Amino acid sequence: MNKTMGVTVMAENAVQRQTILSLRETIARIENGCPPAAMPTTLAPDPAGFRREGASHRKALPLGIPPLDGALKGGLPLEGLTEIRNAETRDAGAAAGFVTALAVLYQQERKSKGHLGPVLWISQALAAREAGHPYAPGLKSFGLDAERFLFVSARTVKDALWITETALSVPVFAAIVLEIRGNPASLALSESRRLHVKARAGKVPLLLFRQAGEEEASSAFFRFRIRPAPAGERPLPDGSVLCGSIGHPAFHLLVEKSRAYASHDIFLEWNAHDRRFYPIDERRNAALQTNDQPENPVDPLSASAGRSRGAQPLGRLLAFARAS
Amino acid sequence: MARSRWGASWLSRGRPDHPPVVFVAKIDNAMRLVALDALAERIGLKRGQGAAEARAMCPSLDVIAADPPADQAFLEALADWCDRYTPLVALDGKDGLFLDITGCAHLHGGEKGLVSDMLSRLFALGVEARATVSSSAGLSWAAVRYGHVDVIAPEEADRVLAPLPVAALRLPEETAAALERVGLKEIGDLLEAPRAPIARRFGSLLLLRLDQARGQADEPLSPRLPVPSFSAERRLAEPLIDEEHVLELTRHLAKDVRSSLERQGEGGRLFELLLFRVDGRVFRVKAHAAVALNDAERIAALFRERLQAIHDDLDAGYGFEILRLAVLRSERRDPAQKDFSGVPDESQPLAAFVDKVSARFGPDCLMQAAFAESHLPERAGGFVPLRNIAAVMDAPAQGKVFPEGGAFPESGVFPESGVFPESGVFPENRPLRIFAHPEPVEATAEVPEGAPRSFNWRKTRYRVTRAEGPERIAAEWWVVGEDHPTRDYFRVEDQEGRRFWLFREGLYEREVTSARWYMHGVFA
């Protein structure tokens, strides 16, 4: 009697576990990722080149920085939507730099396969007015093949979306950048889903560059937030650096949306000559920042500061009376 | 005027009960009659009469100010409409049209059939018109204004001309008046007169006009629009309203055009679709192609986008009765055969994409980078409308820029046109984004010629932690003139790591007393 009970309980457990596993797999499939149990396998692909069961179905472009590639589950997606945003208009230069760097990487990847890789940059006219037009010599010095760079300025978001969709159906571009200002209602979750599906079908990487935009639910694989970061100093041939100079462009990258369990942030430096990112040593960066403290530092005030119901600073009240 | 007031069918239904209508305009400081209707003519009014006098003769007169631009627009619309008969339509002054129907008449039931068809259609549209077919433009002009003949055979020319007044020869008013003064009232008098004394007395123009009317001197007509090299048209028994049907028919027309294009080994770059609406309005829809095309599907796809873009402006009304597809510009097209390597040609889909986008947003919407030999940042690089797709697709990466042998061309100019050589000045420190108009900032510097310490841009204060510069860029005196101030560019970084490109305009003590600062771009 007992035995049979045990068996049925076991069987139920097994059935439940099977159900849970299959549900997990379904979720993982929906999320285009890999099931949690199979995660390590994506980082160590089969040397024979066979795609393992349960491994990522995604084609990825590794950035060459192990912690970041780990958080991105192998690297940047080679097809589908990736969102890059910056919080303030004045940070648009940094974010544009990061997007351009990604475009350079995609272009390089495409060229290594023997295709020409034109990059299409679709920009809402308003975005270009607020944060400046792309500048061809600047793009060139950033490492982009400027002869294979097409630029479209669209008057409205709707026009920009139409051009993007048309471009996604053409298997020519190495990368398509869609630059939008803010969070327009005409580019909400359903539209981003549509773009994502089309980009995956067209096997094109689509970079949605949201200038001065808020965090918003989207179907992108990843959403990065770019903040400016102080650049390093110019290296000299003898190994030291030129004091007070402004070296390679640097970014503070926050991975806001990803399949990883925790958010991730990293300081990166773009080397246009090598056409790749390098991580910046954070300690050096911190040292740079403390060096550059303003003469009269002012604490940033939180939104609730000064109000009666604002949070009390820690340590103002003692929780317990002193023992002695 | 009558059409807008009484509807298009006023001619066929009979004129409503209305006082005589005259049009007046100011001539020599007096309001004079410039046009009048048949009823006004009947009560004895004349062109050139004063408006006050005419009012005195007929108090109920309806006087309307003349509107020459509207008349011109109407005449052009009529010329558009006449495109259905021949592509060679020329405007003649303010009230006439020349149609060169050489080789077209048989399509409309001969010359007589064409004239009667045209006149009855115009009558239905509410336009009073007269038409004459003859072997020369001058004779037609004379006959249509002063005679009453439909078709004049070449050998009848003199007989028709003889009784007409000399004014029918398109002469300046003084010449006509002078001829009448000496008693040469009819063209017939001139025909028999000796030529030399006439030329001496009245100028060579008179004889030229006479010869032109008799068909002895050539008179070229200048068509209003360029004549397409290839075209195909379809006349419909039942008018088309649906856009889908229009596109379907366009595809058929494109097939017709294709065969003639192929025979010449050419492909079209600029296409025009003419839609003749039942009520006489003509729509012209132009579409540019990025590469020379002769594929019917692609041509039809061009017009699909174009029609969607102009959707609201294209009012089908009661439908279109004639569709014509014309190739306005064509160029040599090398027929390419698909190779067996299996690598798809990438320029084809790109060209299709370019066509689609430019059909919808205009040909200048897609842009490509261009560089120039200049030190001024705004002139050194920019974007120009995409014209040459081959430049995008044929890459230096494929080793095409350097000619065989790998030597750099001595002239410094690359043989392939359209491929940008590595020209221009490319200093490393150029911003990623640039403002079309540099934005003024308030900056403070420690020393007048030095880098800024802090600056105000868009109502926010930025404190500069590091600065590189100055990079001094003098104005190009051969372009902008010598008194243009010099700029000192600084690359600065603020506390949070934003990098900007600022410049100070003007050199202290030499050019200006107080310099102004501008924000020109942002770095990554």
Side-chain angles (χ1 to χ4, degrees):
Chain A
M1 180 72 185
N2 254 345
K3 255 186 186 170
T4 47
M5 282 281 283
V7 168
T8 38
V9 168
M10 285 278 283
E12 273 178 15
N13 274 348
V15 167
Q16 279 175 358
R17 208 178 304 138
Q18 189 61 41
T19 319
I20 286 170
L21 268 178
S22 70
L23 281 175
R24 269 192 191 151
E25 265 176 22
T26 314
I27 290 171
R29 212 168 40 243
I30 291 169
E31 291 189 334
N32 313 308
C34 49
M39 214 182 94
T41 57
T42 57
L43 295 179
D46 194 325
F50 291 107
R51 184 179 286 164
R52 276 194 200 162
E53 198 57 39
S56 171
H57 301 299
R58 215 157 46 74
K59 288 185 203 154
L61 172 68
L63 289 171
I65 302 166
L68 188 58
D69 282 344
L72 302 183
K73 302 259 174 71
L76 290 168
L78 276 176
E79 44 199 58
L81 180 67
T82 308
E83 188 174 331
I84 295 109
R85 77 175 184 102
N86 60 327
E88 294 166 331
T89 309
R90 53 186 177 168
D91 298 341
F98 186 72
V99 173
T100 312
L102 295 190
V104 173
L105 289 177
Y106 282 126
Q107 201 174 38
Q108 211 181 359
E109 202 272 342
R110 184 122 175 149
K111 271 197 183 146
S112 68
K113 285 186 186 162
H115 296 280
L116 302 162
V119 171
L120 179 67
W121 189 296
I122 301 153
S123 175
Q124 194 189 347
L126 180 67
R129 264 204 298 281
E130 285 292 321
H133 281 274
Y135 184 51
L139 294 170
K140 204 171 170 116
S141 62
F142 215 75
L144 197 77
D145 185 357
E147 270 91 50
R148 258 153 293 297
F149 179 84
L150 296 181
F151 179 74
V152 190
S153 177
R155 206 166 48 81
T156 64
V157 177
K158 235 173 138 183
D159 291 351
L161 287 177
W162 186 88
I163 298 173
T164 313
E165 276 198 21
T166 313
L168 284 174
S169 58
V170 182
V172 171
F173 298 107
I176 298 169
V177 179
L178 172 61
E179 185 180 7
I180 295 289
R181 188 170 166 77
N183 299 60
S186 43
L187 180 53
L189 181 62
S190 53
E191 282 82 8
S192 78
R193 176 88 200 141
R194 192 183 157 91
L195 287 181
H196 180 54
V197 169
K198 284 226 164 189
R200 293 198 72 192
K203 299 191 183 349
V204 185
L206 172 63
L207 302 169
L208 172 61
F209 173 18
R210 205 187 278 281
Q211 199 190 85
E214 299 291 319
E215 234 174 301
E216 189 185 318
S218 83
S219 300
F221 278 122
F222 304 109
R223 183 172 55 241
F224 304 125
R225 182 181 166 192
I226 303 297
R227 298 180 60 191
E233 294 174 321
R234 281 175 200 277
L236 292 173
D238 62 352
S240 63
V241 291
L242 180 64
C243 194
S245 61
I246 304 172
H248 293 302
F251 315 95
H252 183 191
L253 168 74
L254 292 95
V255 184
E256 278 184 344
K257 181 191 173 190
S258 73
R259 312 286 178 222
Y261 298 107
S263 67
H264 191 85
D265 78 314
I266 188 169
F267 284 86
L268 292 175
E269 189 180 84
W270 172 252
N271 187 327
H273 186 260
D274 298 352
R275 291 191 181 154
R276 61 162 292 184
F277 285 108
Y278 289 101
I280 298 184
D281 186 10
E282 280 173 51
R283 273 168 303 172
R284 193 200 60 153
N285 208 51
L288 267 176
Q289 276 189 329
T290 47
N291 277 346
D292 299 334
Q293 280 294 321
E295 291 94 278
N296 303 308
V298 180
D299 282 335
L301 295 177
S302 72
S304 57
R307 290 194 209 151
S308 56
R309 293 172 67 192
Q312 293 287 342
L314 284 180
R316 185 163 288 185
L317 294 175
L318 284 178
F320 303 104
R322 284 184 194 203
S324 56
Chain B
M1 214 295 298
R3 288 182 74 215
S4 62
R5 204 173 273 193
W6 301 318
S9 58
W10 71 280
L11 264 177
S12 43
R13 272 210 307 265
R15 189 175 187 280
D17 201 16
H18 194 270
V21 182
V22 293
F23 291 85
V24 295
K26 202 163 184 175
I27 300 169
D28 296 340
N29 277 340
M31 297 303 280
R32 291 182 186 279
L33 269 55
V34 291
L36 56 170
D37 72 346
L39 197 58
E41 241 167 32
R42 220 172 300 146
I43 60 169
L45 298 180
K46 282 197 199 89
R47 238 177 245 204
Q49 217 170 11
E53 194 189 337
R55 272 224 181 85
M57 286 170 71
C58 175
S60 65
L61 198 65
D62 191 359
V63 181
I64 301 165
D67 184 2
D71 288 347
Q72 187 68 24
F74 178 66
L75 192 64
E76 297 213 343
L78 265 188
D80 260 346
W81 181 85
C82 287
D83 254 5
R84 61 174 54 225
Y85 297 110
T86 166
L88 286 158
V89 180
L91 295 183
D92 168 41
K94 286 186 285 187
D95 54 355
L97 292 173
F98 282 124
L99 274 68
D100 186 345
I101 55 164
T102 313
C104 305
H106 69 279
L107 300 170
H108 304 271
E111 290 167 355
K112 254 200 158 63
L114 192 148
V115 169
S116 66
D117 177 62
M118 178 190 271
L119 290 184
S120 66
R121 276 174 193 271
L122 283 174
F123 184 81
L125 292 175
V127 180
E128 266 192 291
R130 275 175 289 181
T132 301
V133 177
S134 78
S135 51
S136 75
L139 180 56
S140 294
W141 196 93
V144 88
R145 279 174 175 72
Y146 297 94
H148 303 279
V149 204
D150 276 352
V151 180
I152 304 169
E155 62 276 5
E156 288 179 327
D158 284 359
R159 195 180 54 74
V160 174
L161 269 177
L164 299 180
V166 284
L169 285 178
R170 291 178 289 165
L171 298 173
E173 265 178 43
E174 311 86 73
T175 318
L179 281 170
E180 280 188 26
R181 260 203 312 279
V182 298
L184 296 169
K185 289 202 164 73
E186 291 179 352
I187 297 177
D189 304 338
L190 286 173
L191 289 175
E192 286 133 29
R195 292 171 67 89
I198 289 183
R200 206 162 49 238
R201 181 150 182 191
F202 301 104
S204 59
L205 182 72
L206 172 61
L207 285 181
L208 177 70
R209 290 288 189 220
L210 190 62
D211 288 347
Q212 281 176 348
R214 298 171 71 190
Q216 289 167 355
D218 230 12
E219 183 181 7
L221 291 179
S222 50
R224 203 167 58 95
L225 301 167
V227 181
S229 36
F230 306 97
S231 72
E233 87 174 23
R234 197 63 59 90
R235 278 157 202 273
L236 307 164
E238 189 80 1
L240 281 185
I241 295 177
D242 202 7
E243 200 175 293
E244 274 308 307
H245 292 158
V246 171
L247 283 171
E248 181 61 28
L249 202 62
T250 309
R251 210 163 55 79
H252 284 290
L253 288 175
K255 273 186 194 156
D256 294 352
V257 173
R258 182 198 172 143
S259 54
S260 45
L261 277 173
E262 264 179 359
R263 226 173 296 134
Q264 304 275 332
E266 295 203 335
R269 284 294 300 269
L270 179 60
F271 295 91
E272 188 182 49
L273 184 65
L274 277 90
L275 298 158
F276 293 79
R277 207 163 74 176
V278 174
D279 62 353
R281 190 139 173 227
V282 179
F283 292 92
R284 290 171 182 271
V285 185
K286 278 187 186 155
H288 291 261
V291 291
L293 276 188
N294 64 7
D295 181 18
E297 297 295 333
R298 295 268 304 272
I299 296 172
L302 276 183
F303 282 103
R304 175 165 294 123
E305 295 305 329
R306 205 60 210 122
L307 289 181
Q308 271 176 11
I310 59 162
H311 189 261
D312 291 341
D313 296 335
L314 190 72
D315 179 12
Y318 293 110
F320 302 111
E321 52 179 350
I322 303 178
L323 268 80
R324 181 187 297 160
L325 181 70
V327 183
L328 295 187
R329 204 170 64 230
S330 61
E331 58 184 46
R332 183 114 207 107
R333 182 178 185 277
D334 294 323
Q337 188 176 6
K338 278 183 187 157
D339 59 5
F340 289 114
S341 65
V343 180
D345 181 12
E346 287 192 344
S347 69
Q348 281 305 318
L350 182 70
F353 166 73
V354 171
D355 284 347
K356 240 177 158 180
V357 172
S358 40
R360 198 165 173 127
F361 298 106
D364 295 346
C365 137
L366 267 169
M367 293 192 278
Q368 67 186 139
F371 302 97
E373 300 257 5
S374 173
H375 286 281
L376 277 187
E378 56 265 44
R379 210 168 288 148
F383 288 95
V384 293
L386 177 65
R387 286 284 174 262
N388 194 353
I389 290 190
V392 177
M393 297 316 293
D394 294 338
Q398 304 252 318
K400 274 202 177 171
V401 159
F402 286 99
E404 290 299 316
F408 194 84
E410 274 178 24
S411 60
V413 179
F414 291 91
E416 280 96 344
S417 58
V419 177
F420 299 118
E422 293 282 326
S423 69
V425 189
F426 291 114
E428 236 176 59
N429 294 324
R430 284 292 175 260
L432 258 192
R433 314 201 72 149
I434 201 164
F435 294 105
H437 306 285
E439 299 184 4
V441 296
E442 295 163 23
T444 49
E446 277 174 348
V447 287
E449 297 269 320
R453 271 310 279 174
S454 68
F455 61 92
N456 271 358
W457 177 52
R458 292 187 179 173
K459 298 179 184 164
T460 315
R461 187 151 197 83
Y462 297 87
R463 201 174 282 273
V464 175
T465 52
R466 283 187 282 175
E468 282 186 345
E471 179 186 350
R472 182 160 295 176
I473 299 179
E476 295 171 338
W477 54 263
W478 59 95
V479 182
V480 289
E482 283 194 37
D483 53 350
H484 214 76
T486 306
R487 295 173 182 178
D488 272 355
Y489 277 91
F490 289 93
R491 192 175 175 221
V492 303
E493 187 178 89
D494 79 341
Q495 279 167 308
E496 281 162 68
R498 300 182 192 100
R499 286 166 285 277
F500 301 107
W501 212 33
L502 297 174
F503 71 87
R504 191 189 58 234
E505 196 174 58
L507 298 175
Y508 282 106
E509 298 195 341
R510 262 191 283 169
E511 291 176 354
V512 288
T513 47
S514 65
R516 279 175 303 178
W517 286 85
Y518 291 93
M519 165 77 66
H520 204 168
V522 285
F523 289 93

